[in-house]
Amino acid sequence: MVRLISLVIGAGFVFVLALALFFTAKDAIQNPAPHSAEHEFRLHPEDINLSSAGWFGKFDRQQVQRGFQVYKEVCAACHSLKYVAFRDLQKIGYSEAEVKAIATQWVIEQPSVNPETGEAATRKNLPSDHFPSPFANEVAARAANANALPPDLSLMTKAREDGSNYVHALITGYRDQPAELLKKFPDAKTPEGLHYNPYFANLNIAMPPPLTSDGQVTYSDGTKATRDQMARDVAAFLTWTAEPNLEARHAAGLAVVIFLMIFIYLTWGAYQNVWREVKH
């Protein structure tokens, strides 16, 4: 009797859940949620075909160095690279002496303590130091950026979907709000202090356009510094900061595939040899 009652109660729960699922699905089909401005007007970045992309991709070190120059002269005033050390720059072609000079001449110094007074102080950067934050703390960062917190860029291309392409598209994507958007969504007007960018998640971003004109950076290798070129180069640099061992990973993956192919061939040969006299 108890078992029968339990079955009836269980069946009742299943029936109620089935009804709820049915009417929820019916309502969703008959009354779909209205599209938002973000859904209709957000754009997806185009592929910029960096040399590091693909299974056999490798970094173009000259381009990565140009991207570092863009970061240094444009982005470093607001954005940190807390997971990257100065000495890591040797991996993209800088010599030990050049790295030491970059660290020593870096505008922002390392926070330290005066050994005589015990008060807060700063010191020159060493190659072993990580890139210092441009702000003392989060409060200072928000105060200097209209209460917006500039994100750390070390892993940005890993943290965003289609990372390298996203960085390039975001930097070059600033534009006026289209009239069609305001006509269809009058409440979606970009608030004062924000900037319209169709590649940003909610279309409005606090960061002003970082690259405003061609020639904003003068490349030492003579490359013409157009806005598009600078955006591509800094995207390449941030791809490297997010995955500095990408080339080694690609090489290891290729070696594993070759090994597995040889192993499969030898296994098949051993199978044929062991069972060659057995009739199937």
Side-chain angles (χ1 to χ4, degrees):
M1 187 65 180
V2 173
R3 186 176 181 182
L4 179 61
I5 294 174
S6 299
L7 289 174
V8 171
I9 293 174
F13 273 114
V14 171
F15 178 72
V16 171
L17 289 174
L19 283 179
L21 178 62
F22 172 77
F23 285 109
T24 300
K26 181 181 177 183
D27 183 67
I29 294 172
Q30 293 179 345
N31 304 296
H35 286 172
S36 63
E38 293 86 350
H39 178 83
E40 291 198 25
F41 288 90
R42 187 183 177 192
L43 301 179
H44 295 283
E46 297 180 358
D47 192 350
I48 59 174
N49 297 311
L50 291 179
S51 62
S52 57
W55 289 8
F56 307 105
K58 292 186 177 181
F59 289 115
D60 179 344
R61 278 163 174 69
Q62 196 168 19
Q63 182 178 40
V64 176
Q65 287 187 18
R66 292 197 302 267
F68 169 65
Q69 188 177 348
V70 175
Y71 167 77
K72 177 183 177 182
E73 299 184 22
V74 179
C75 311
C78 297
H79 296 279
S80 58
L81 280 180
K82 63 182 180 181
Y83 296 117
V84 183
F86 285 99
R87 63 186 174 192
D88 292 335
L89 296 176
Q90 290 183 251
K91 297 178 182 178
I92 60 172
Y94 288 102
S95 67
E96 187 175 345
E98 288 174 324
V99 169
K100 185 175 181 180
I102 291 171
T104 303
Q105 298 168 11
W106 200 257
V107 175
I108 304 164
E109 297 186 338
Q110 288 289 330
S112 183
V113 175
N114 188 318
E116 298 179 358
T117 64
E119 296 180 350
T122 59
R123 62 167 175 79
K124 292 288 186 181
N125 293 288
L126 300 173
S128 57
D129 290 326
H130 285 70
F131 282 83
S133 172
F135 304 104
N137 49 54
E138 181 179 331
V139 175
R142 289 186 180 279
N145 292 278
N147 202 39
L149 181 65
D152 180 81
L153 297 182
S154 306
L155 305 175
M156 185 54 65
T157 58
K158 299 290 284 185
R160 298 292 184 269
E161 181 184 1
D162 207 9
S164 304
N165 300 325
Y166 168 80
V167 169
H168 171 267
L170 184 75
I171 293 174
T172 58
Y174 290 85
R175 62 194 67 176
D176 294 331
Q177 239 182 343
E180 183 184 355
L181 185 153
L182 295 176
K183 182 178 179 180
K184 195 166 186 178
F185 301 97
D187 295 333
K189 182 176 176 59
T190 299
E192 185 177 354
L194 299 183
H195 308 271
Y196 179 75
N197 192 317
Y199 296 99
F200 194 62
N202 64 1
L203 305 181
N204 301 306
I205 185 171
M207 179 178 72
L211 299 176
T212 55
S213 62
D214 295 344
Q216 194 168 334
V217 171
T218 302
Y219 286 136
S220 57
D221 64 0
T223 301
K224 187 175 181 181
T226 62
R227 289 179 64 247
D228 180 74
Q229 183 65 54
M230 290 185 287
R232 287 173 182 270
D233 293 343
V234 78
F237 172 68
L238 294 179
T239 301
W240 171 77
T241 63
E243 197 166 6
N245 297 318
L246 176 142
E247 293 174 334
R249 180 171 60 81
H250 285 178
L254 179 61
V256 169
V257 170
I258 293 174
F259 169 79
L260 289 176
M261 291 176 65
I262 295 173
F263 178 77
I264 290 172
Y265 175 76
L266 292 176
T267 302
W268 177 80
Y271 169 81
Q272 293 293 323
N273 185 59
V274 170
W275 297 97
R276 66 181 184 278
E277 297 180 359
V278 178
K279 294 182 179 181
H280 296 282

